[in-house]
Amino acid sequence: MSDPIADSRYVIRAAEGRFVLWDNTRIEPLSSHRSLAAAERTKDIHARIDRLVSAGRKRRES
């Protein structure tokens, strides 16, 4: 599932034989994985959490 916001915020880069997940709002990487699939799953989890937090904020504002 492609999410434009997650795709712009979270980036997976290959470094030293590992796949590193970066959040463009942080200085340090979020996580390092041995496989691209694991990095993609983690990226999806972070995007899902972001959507839940955003929905909670909107609900509180209403």
Side-chain angles (χ1 to χ4, degrees):
M1 174 170 78
S2 180
D3 181 351
I5 294 172
D7 290 341
S8 65
R9 180 172 175 181
Y10 299 108
V11 178
I12 298 171
R13 295 193 176 112
E16 298 175 5
R18 306 215 18 120
F19 295 94
V20 181
L21 178 63
W22 291 87
D23 178 342
N24 287 334
T25 64
R26 298 175 184 249
I27 296 173
E28 296 293 320
L30 289 173
S31 57
S32 176
H33 304 274
R34 287 185 283 177
S35 72
L36 180 58
E40 287 287 346
R41 283 192 303 271
T42 304
K43 177 181 174 181
D44 290 342
I45 290 168
H46 281 282
R48 208 172 306 138
I49 291 169
D50 289 345
R51 285 193 299 272
L52 289 171
V53 168
S54 177
R57 285 183 183 142
K58 287 180 185 175
R59 200 172 325 129
R60 270 184 291 181
E61 290 173 0
S62 339

Coordinates of all heavy atoms in Angstrom, one line a residue:
M1 N 0.8 -1.2 0.0 CA 0.0 0.0 0.0 C 0.9 1.2 0.0 O 1.7 1.4 0.9 CB -0.9 -0.1 1.2 CG -1.7 1.2 1.4 SD -3.0 1.0 2.7 CE -2.0 1.2 4.2
S2 N 0.7 2.1 -1.0 CA 1.5 3.3 -1.1 C 0.8 4.5 -0.4 O -0.3 4.7 -0.6 CB 1.8 3.6 -2.5 OG 2.6 4.8 -2.7
D3 N 1.6 5.1 0.5 CA 1.1 6.3 1.2 C 2.0 7.5 0.9 O 3.2 7.5 1.3 CB 1.1 6.0 2.7 CG 0.5 7.1 3.5 OD1 0.3 8.2 3.0 OD2 0.3 6.9 4.7
P4 N 1.5 8.5 0.1 CA 2.4 9.6 -0.3 C 3.0 10.3 0.9 O 4.2 10.7 0.8 CB 1.5 10.6 -1.0 CG 0.2 9.8 -1.2 CD 0.2 8.7 -0.3
I5 N 2.3 10.5 2.0 CA 2.9 11.2 3.2 C 4.0 10.3 3.8 O 5.1 10.8 4.1 CB 1.8 11.5 4.2 CG1 0.8 12.5 3.6 CG2 2.4 12.0 5.5 CD1 -0.4 12.8 4.4
A6 N 3.8 9.0 4.0 CA 4.8 8.2 4.5 C 6.0 8.1 3.6 O 7.1 8.0 4.0 CB 4.2 6.8 4.8
D7 N 5.7 8.0 2.2 CA 6.8 7.9 1.3 C 7.7 9.2 1.3 O 8.8 9.1 1.0 CB 6.2 7.7 -0.1 CG 5.6 6.3 -0.3 OD1 6.0 5.5 0.5 OD2 4.9 6.2 -1.3
S8 N 7.1 10.3 1.6 CA 7.9 11.6 1.7 C 8.6 11.7 3.0 O 9.6 12.3 3.1 CB 7.0 12.8 1.4 OG 6.1 12.9 2.4
R9 N 8.0 11.2 4.1 CA 8.6 11.3 5.4 C 9.6 10.2 5.7 O 10.7 10.5 6.3 CB 7.5 11.3 6.5 CG 8.0 11.4 7.9 CD 7.0 11.6 8.9 NE 7.6 11.6 10.2 CZ 6.9 11.7 11.3 NH1 5.6 11.9 11.3 NH2 7.5 11.7 12.5
Y10 N 9.3 9.0 5.4 CA 10.2 7.8 5.7 C 10.9 7.4 4.5 O 10.4 7.2 3.4 CB 9.3 6.7 6.3 CG 8.6 7.1 7.6 CD1 7.2 7.2 7.6 CD2 9.3 7.2 8.7 CE1 6.6 7.6 8.7 CE2 8.6 7.6 9.9 CZ 7.3 7.8 9.9 OH 6.6 8.1 11.0
V11 N 12.2 7.2 4.7 CA 13.1 6.8 3.6 C 13.9 5.6 4.0 O 14.5 5.6 5.1 CB 14.0 8.0 3.2 CG1 15.0 7.6 2.1 CG2 13.2 9.2 2.9
I12 N 14.1 4.7 3.1 CA 14.9 3.5 3.3 C 16.1 3.6 2.4 O 16.0 3.8 1.2 CB 14.2 2.2 3.0 CG1 12.9 2.0 3.9 CG2 15.1 1.0 3.1 CD1 12.0 0.9 3.5
R13 N 17.3 3.6 3.0 CA 18.6 3.7 2.3 C 19.4 2.4 2.6 O 19.4 1.9 3.7 CB 19.3 4.9 2.7 CG 18.6 6.2 2.4 CD 19.5 7.4 2.5 NE 18.8 8.6 2.1 CZ 18.4 9.6 2.8 NH1 18.6 9.5 4.1 NH2 17.7 10.6 2.4
A14 N 20.2 2.0 1.6 CA 21.1 0.9 1.8 C 22.4 1.5 2.3 O 22.9 2.5 1.8 CB 21.3 0.2 0.5
A15 N 22.9 0.9 3.4 CA 24.2 1.4 4.0 C 24.9 0.2 4.6 O 24.3 -0.5 5.5 CB 23.9 2.5 5.0
E16 N 26.1 0.0 4.2 CA 27.0 -1.1 4.8 C 26.3 -2.4 4.8 O 26.3 -3.1 5.9 CB 27.4 -0.6 6.2 CG 28.3 0.6 6.2 CD 28.6 1.1 7.6 OE1 28.3 0.4 8.5 OE2 29.2 2.2 7.6
G17 N 25.6 -2.8 3.8 CA 25.0 -4.1 3.7 C 23.7 -4.2 4.5 O 23.1 -5.3 4.7
R18 N 23.1 -3.1 5.0 CA 21.9 -3.1 5.8 C 20.9 -2.1 5.2 O 21.4 -1.2 4.4 CB 22.2 -2.7 7.2 CG 23.2 -3.7 7.8 CD 23.1 -4.1 9.2 NE 22.0 -4.1 10.0 CZ 21.4 -5.1 10.5 NH1 21.9 -6.3 10.2 NH2 20.4 -5.0 11.4
F19 N 19.7 -2.2 5.5 CA 18.7 -1.3 5.0 C 18.3 -0.4 6.2 O 17.8 -0.9 7.2 CB 17.5 -2.0 4.4 CG 17.8 -2.8 3.2 CD1 18.2 -4.1 3.3 CD2 17.8 -2.1 2.0 CE1 18.5 -4.8 2.1 CE2 18.2 -2.8 0.8 CZ 18.5 -4.2 0.9
V20 N 18.5 0.9 6.1 CA 18.3 1.8 7.2 C 17.1 2.7 7.0 O 16.9 3.3 5.9 CB 19.6 2.7 7.4 CG1 19.4 3.6 8.6 CG2 20.8 1.9 7.6
L21 N 16.2 2.7 8.0 CA 15.0 3.5 7.9 C 15.2 4.8 8.5 O 15.6 4.9 9.7 CB 13.8 2.7 8.5 CG 12.5 3.5 8.6 CD1 11.9 3.7 7.1 CD2 11.4 2.7 9.4
W22 N 15.0 5.9 7.8 CA 15.1 7.2 8.2 C 13.8 7.9 8.3 O 12.9 7.7 7.4 CB 16.0 8.0 7.3 CG 17.5 7.6 7.3 CD1 18.0 6.6 6.6 CD2 18.5 8.1 8.2 NE1 19.4 6.5 6.9 CE2 19.7 7.4 7.9 CE3 18.6 9.1 9.1 CZ2 20.9 7.7 8.5 CZ3 19.8 9.4 9.7 CH2 20.9 8.7 9.4
D23 N 13.6 8.8 9.3 CA 12.5 9.7 9.4 C 13.0 11.1 9.1 O 14.0 11.5 9.8 CB 11.9 9.6 10.8 CG 10.7 10.5 11.0 OD1 10.5 11.5 10.3 OD2 10.0 10.3 12.0
N24 N 12.5 11.8 8.1 CA 13.0 13.1 7.7 C 12.9 14.1 8.8 O 13.5 15.2 8.6 CB 12.4 13.5 6.4 CG 12.8 12.7 5.2 OD1 13.9 12.2 5.2 ND2 12.0 12.7 4.2
T25 N 12.2 13.9 9.8 CA 12.0 14.8 10.9 C 13.0 14.6 12.0 O 13.1 15.3 13.0 CB 10.6 14.8 11.5 OG1 10.4 13.6 12.1 CG2 9.6 15.1 10.4
R26 N 13.9 13.6 11.9 CA 14.8 13.2 13.0 C 16.3 13.2 12.4 O 16.5 13.0 11.3 CB 14.5 11.9 13.6 CG 13.2 11.8 14.2 CD 12.9 10.4 14.7 NE 11.6 10.2 15.2 CZ 11.3 10.0 16.5 NH1 12.3 9.9 17.3 NH2 10.1 9.9 16.9
I27 N 17.2 13.4 13.3 CA 18.6 13.4 13.0 C 19.1 11.9 12.9 O 19.9 11.6 12.0 CB 19.4 14.2 14.0 CG1 19.0 15.6 13.9 CG2 20.9 14.0 13.7 CD1 19.6 16.5 15.0
E28 N 18.7 11.1 13.8 CA 19.2 9.7 13.9 C 18.3 8.8 13.1 O 17.1 9.0 13.0 CB 19.3 9.2 15.4 CG 20.2 10.0 16.2 CD 21.7 9.8 15.8 OE1 22.0 8.6 15.5 OE2 22.5 10.7 15.8
P29 N 18.8 7.7 12.6 CA 17.9 6.7 11.9 C 16.9 6.0 12.9 O 17.2 5.9 14.1 CB 18.9 5.7 11.3 CG 20.1 5.8 12.1 CD 20.2 7.2 12.6
L30 N 15.8 5.6 12.4 CA 14.8 4.9 13.2 C 15.2 3.5 13.5 O 15.1 3.0 14.6 CB 13.4 4.9 12.5 CG 12.7 6.2 12.5 CD1 11.4 6.1 11.7 CD2 12.4 6.7 13.9
S31 N 15.7 2.8 12.4 CA 16.1 1.4 12.6 C 17.0 0.9 11.4 O 17.0 1.5 10.4 CB 14.8 0.5 12.7 OG 14.0 0.7 11.5
S32 N 17.6 -0.2 11.7 CA 18.4 -0.9 10.7 C 18.0 -2.3 10.5 O 17.7 -3.0 11.5 CB 19.9 -0.8 11.1 OG 20.7 -1.4 10.3
H33 N 17.9 -2.8 9.3 CA 17.4 -4.1 9.0 C 18.3 -4.9 8.0 O 19.0 -4.3 7.2 CB 16.0 -4.0 8.4 CG 15.1 -3.3 9.2 ND1 14.3 -3.8 10.3 CD2 14.7 -1.9 9.3 CE1 13.6 -2.9 10.9 NE2 13.8 -1.8 10.3
R34 N 18.3 -6.2 8.1 CA 19.0 -7.0 7.2 C 18.4 -7.2 5.9 O 19.0 -7.5 4.9 CB 19.3 -8.4 7.8 CG 20.4 -8.3 8.9 CD 20.7 -9.7 9.4 NE 19.6 -10.1 10.3 CZ 19.5 -11.2 10.9 NH1 20.5 -12.1 10.7 NH2 18.5 -11.6 11.7
S35 N 17.0 -7.0 5.8 CA 16.3 -7.2 4.5 C 15.5 -6.0 4.2 O 15.0 -5.3 5.1 CB 15.4 -8.4 4.6 OG 14.3 -8.2 5.4
L36 N 15.3 -5.8 2.9 CA 14.4 -4.7 2.5 C 13.0 -4.9 2.9 O 12.3 -4.0 3.3 CB 14.5 -4.5 1.0 CG 13.7 -3.4 0.4 CD1 14.0 -2.1 0.9 CD2 13.8 -3.4 -1.2
A37 N 12.5 -6.1 2.9 CA 11.2 -6.5 3.4 C 10.9 -6.1 4.8 O 9.9 -5.5 5.1 CB 10.9 -8.0 3.2
A38 N 11.9 -6.3 5.7 CA 11.7 -5.9 7.1 C 11.7 -4.4 7.2 O 10.9 -3.9 8.0 CB 12.9 -6.5 7.9
A39 N 12.5 -3.7 6.5 CA 12.5 -2.2 6.5 C 11.2 -1.7 6.0 O 10.6 -0.8 6.6 CB 13.7 -1.7 5.7
E40 N 10.6 -2.3 5.0 CA 9.3 -1.9 4.4 C 8.2 -2.1 5.5 O 7.3 -1.3 5.6 CB 9.0 -2.6 3.1 CG 9.8 -2.2 2.0 CD 9.4 -0.8 1.4 OE1 8.3 -0.3 1.8 OE2 10.1 -0.2 0.6
R41 N 8.2 -3.3 6.1 CA 7.2 -3.5 7.2 C 7.3 -2.5 8.3 O 6.3 -2.0 8.8 CB 7.4 -4.9 7.7 CG 6.9 -6.0 6.8 CD 6.8 -7.4 7.5 NE 8.1 -7.8 8.1 CZ 9.0 -8.5 7.5 NH1 8.8 -8.9 6.2 NH2 10.1 -8.9 8.0
T42 N 8.5 -2.2 8.7 CA 8.7 -1.2 9.8 C 8.2 0.2 9.3 O 7.5 0.9 10.1 CB 10.1 -1.1 10.2 OG1 10.6 -2.4 10.6 CG2 10.3 -0.2 11.4
K43 N 8.5 0.5 8.1 CA 8.0 1.8 7.5 C 6.5 1.9 7.5 O 5.9 2.9 7.9 CB 8.5 1.9 6.1 CG 8.1 3.2 5.4 CD 8.6 3.2 3.9 CE 8.1 4.4 3.1 NZ 8.6 4.4 1.8
D44 N 5.8 0.7 7.1 CA 4.4 0.7 7.1 C 3.8 0.8 8.6 O 2.8 1.5 8.8 CB 3.9 -0.6 6.5 CG 4.1 -0.7 5.0 OD1 4.3 0.3 4.4 OD2 4.1 -1.9 4.5
I45 N 4.5 0.2 9.5 CA 4.0 0.3 10.9 C 4.1 1.8 11.4 O 3.2 2.3 12.0 CB 4.9 -0.6 11.8 CG1 4.5 -2.0 11.6 CG2 4.7 -0.2 13.3 CD1 5.5 -3.0 12.2
H46 N 5.2 2.5 11.1 CA 5.4 3.9 11.5 C 4.3 4.7 10.8 O 3.7 5.6 11.4 CB 6.8 4.4 11.1 CG 7.8 4.0 12.1 ND1 7.9 4.6 13.4 CD2 8.7 3.0 12.1 CE1 8.9 4.0 14.0 NE2 9.4 3.0 13.3
A47 N 4.0 4.5 9.5 CA 3.0 5.3 8.8 C 1.6 5.0 9.4 O 0.8 6.0 9.6 CB 3.0 4.9 7.3
R48 N 1.3 3.8 9.8 CA 0.0 3.5 10.4 C -0.1 4.2 11.8 O -1.2 4.7 12.1 CB 0.0 1.9 10.6 CG -1.4 1.4 10.6 CD -1.5 -0.1 10.6 NE -0.7 -0.7 9.5 CZ 0.1 -1.7 9.7 NH1 0.2 -2.4 10.8 NH2 0.7 -2.2 8.6
I49 N 1.0 4.2 12.6 CA 1.0 4.9 13.9 C 0.7 6.4 13.6 O -0.1 7.0 14.4 CB 2.3 4.6 14.6 CG1 2.3 3.2 15.1 CG2 2.4 5.6 15.8 CD1 3.7 2.8 15.6
D50 N 1.4 7.0 12.7 CA 1.2 8.4 12.3 C -0.3 8.7 12.0 O -0.8 9.7 12.5 CB 2.1 8.8 11.2 CG 3.5 8.9 11.5 OD1 3.8 8.9 12.8 OD2 4.4 9.0 10.6
R51 N -0.9 7.8 11.2 CA -2.3 8.0 10.8 C -3.2 7.9 12.1 O -4.2 8.7 12.2 CB -2.7 7.0 9.8 CG -2.2 7.3 8.4 CD -2.9 6.5 7.3 NE -2.7 5.1 7.5 CZ -1.7 4.4 6.9 NH1 -0.7 5.0 6.2 NH2 -1.5 3.1 7.1
L52 N -2.9 6.9 13.0 CA -3.7 6.8 14.2 C -3.6 8.0 15.1 O -4.6 8.5 15.6 CB -3.3 5.5 15.0 CG -3.7 4.2 14.3 CD1 -3.1 3.1 15.1 CD2 -5.2 4.1 14.3
V53 N -2.4 8.5 15.3 CA -2.2 9.7 16.1 C -2.9 10.9 15.5 O -3.5 11.7 16.2 CB -0.6 10.0 16.2 CG1 -0.4 11.3 16.8 CG2 0.0 8.9 17.1
S54 N -2.8 11.1 14.2 CA -3.5 12.2 13.5 C -5.0 12.1 13.6 O -5.6 13.1 13.9 CB -3.1 12.2 12.0 OG -3.8 13.2 11.3
A55 N -5.5 10.9 13.5 CA -7.0 10.7 13.7 C -7.4 11.0 15.1 O -8.4 11.7 15.3 CB -7.4 9.3 13.3
G56 N -6.6 10.6 16.1 CA -6.9 11.0 17.5 C -6.9 12.4 17.7 O -7.7 13.0 18.5
R57 N -5.9 13.1 17.2 CA -5.8 14.6 17.3 C -7.1 15.3 16.7 O -7.7 16.2 17.3 CB -4.6 15.2 16.7 CG -3.3 14.9 17.5 CD -2.1 15.5 16.8 NE -0.9 15.1 17.6 CZ 0.2 14.9 17.0 NH1 0.4 14.9 15.7 NH2 1.3 14.5 17.7
K58 N -7.5 14.8 15.5 CA -8.6 15.4 14.9 C -9.9 15.2 15.7 O -10.8 16.0 15.8 CB -8.8 14.8 13.5 CG -7.8 15.3 12.5 CD -8.0 14.7 11.1 CE -6.9 15.2 10.2 NZ -7.0 14.5 8.9
R59 N -10.0 14.0 16.3 CA -11.2 13.6 17.1 C -11.3 14.5 18.3 O -12.3 14.9 18.7 CB -11.1 12.1 17.4 CG -12.4 11.6 17.9 CD -12.5 10.1 18.1 NE -11.6 9.3 17.2 CZ -10.7 8.5 17.6 NH1 -10.5 8.2 18.8 NH2 -9.9 7.8 16.7
R60 N -10.1 14.7 19.0 CA -10.1 15.6 20.2 C -10.5 17.0 19.8 O -11.1 17.7 20.6 CB -8.7 15.5 20.8 CG -8.6 14.5 21.8 CD -7.3 14.5 22.5 NE -6.3 14.2 21.4 CZ -5.0 14.1 21.6 NH1 -4.5 14.4 22.7 NH2 -4.2 13.7 20.6
E61 N -10.1 17.5 18.6 CA -10.3 18.9 18.3 C -11.8 19.1 18.0 O -12.3 20.2 18.1 CB -9.5 19.3 17.0 CG -8.0 19.4 17.3 CD -7.2 19.6 16.1 OE1 -7.8 19.7 15.0 OE2 -6.0 19.7 16.2
S62 N -12.5 18.0 17.6 CA -13.9 18.2 17.2 C -14.8 18.2 18.4 O -14.6 17.9 19.5 CB -14.5 17.0 16.4 OG -13.6 16.3 15.7

